[in-house]
Amino acid sequence: MILLQQIRKIAIAGILIVVLAVTTACGGATVSQADRTTNPPVIGRDVTYTELERGNTPGGQNFGNWVVQTSKGLIKDAYVRDNNKLGVVISRDVRPNEVRPLAKSLVQGFRKNFPNQDLTVLVYSPDKKLILTTQYDIQTNQVKYS
């Protein structure tokens, strides 16, 4: 009986040593967000447009979701890349004379959520063609349209 208990203690100690060695070796180095390379999703046969993420960072994901949810149907889809580029697909309900004011409003909200950097807002038509590029320059505090 005593022999079995000693064997069991030795086996548990050995397993514990292996588990600690593996977890230390595999999880010892921490990688910051800046060290990671984030590849944009590739649209191919296996991924449809609606399956793309709204952001490639948690903050971007949250902001993209918020834009779509609060737009009351004016924005059908949104994505944020690298916390400084916002792309939106507008609905057919947005009139041509409303595109610039909508883009300016998006820049203002984007600036509040991602301050102290240059920002770009890309506005796409419902058929996913780029119709307006809006750039905010932090140095001049100016918004440019192209």
Side-chain angles (χ1 to χ4, degrees):
M1 183 79 169
I2 295 175
L3 181 63
L4 289 175
Q5 287 178 344
Q6 287 180 343
I7 291 173
R8 189 177 80 188
K9 286 179 183 179
I10 292 171
I12 290 174
I15 292 171
L16 182 59
I17 290 170
V18 170
V19 168
L20 288 174
V22 169
T23 57
T24 302
C26 294
T30 58
V31 179
S32 69
Q33 184 66 28
D35 295 336
R36 296 183 187 147
T37 56
T38 306
N39 296 327
V42 177
I43 301 175
R45 287 178 274 176
D46 299 334
V47 179
T48 63
Y49 181 80
T50 57
E51 292 175 341
L52 294 177
E53 58 191 9
R54 298 225 191 249
N56 63 351
T57 65
Q61 181 83 21
N62 291 338
F63 187 74
N65 288 334
W66 179 83
V67 166
V68 173
Q69 291 170 357
T70 58
S71 72
K72 299 181 182 177
L74 294 178
I75 297 173
K76 293 295 181 187
D77 198 7
Y79 68 89
V80 177
R81 296 293 178 263
D82 303 324
N83 292 336
N84 65 0
K85 186 180 285 185
L86 170 66
V88 296
V89 178
I90 58 174
S91 74
R92 297 193 188 285
D93 297 335
V94 179
R95 288 179 258 160
N97 63 338
E98 297 173 332
V99 174
R100 266 194 190 198
L102 177 63
K104 186 174 183 178
S105 176
L106 289 168
V107 166
Q108 290 170 346
F110 201 28
R111 201 173 80 205
K112 287 179 185 176
N113 285 276
F114 301 97
N116 304 322
Q117 60 183 325
D118 294 337
L119 303 171
T120 303
V121 174
L122 306 168
V123 180
Y124 295 89
S125 65
D127 61 354
K128 318 282 187 311
K129 291 184 181 173
L130 182 63
I131 57 174
L132 180 66
T133 300
T134 309
Q135 294 177 321
Y136 169 73
D137 185 350
I138 187 78
Q139 299 297 326
T140 62
N141 198 27
Q142 297 291 317
V143 177
K144 295 179 186 174
Y145 303 96
S146 57

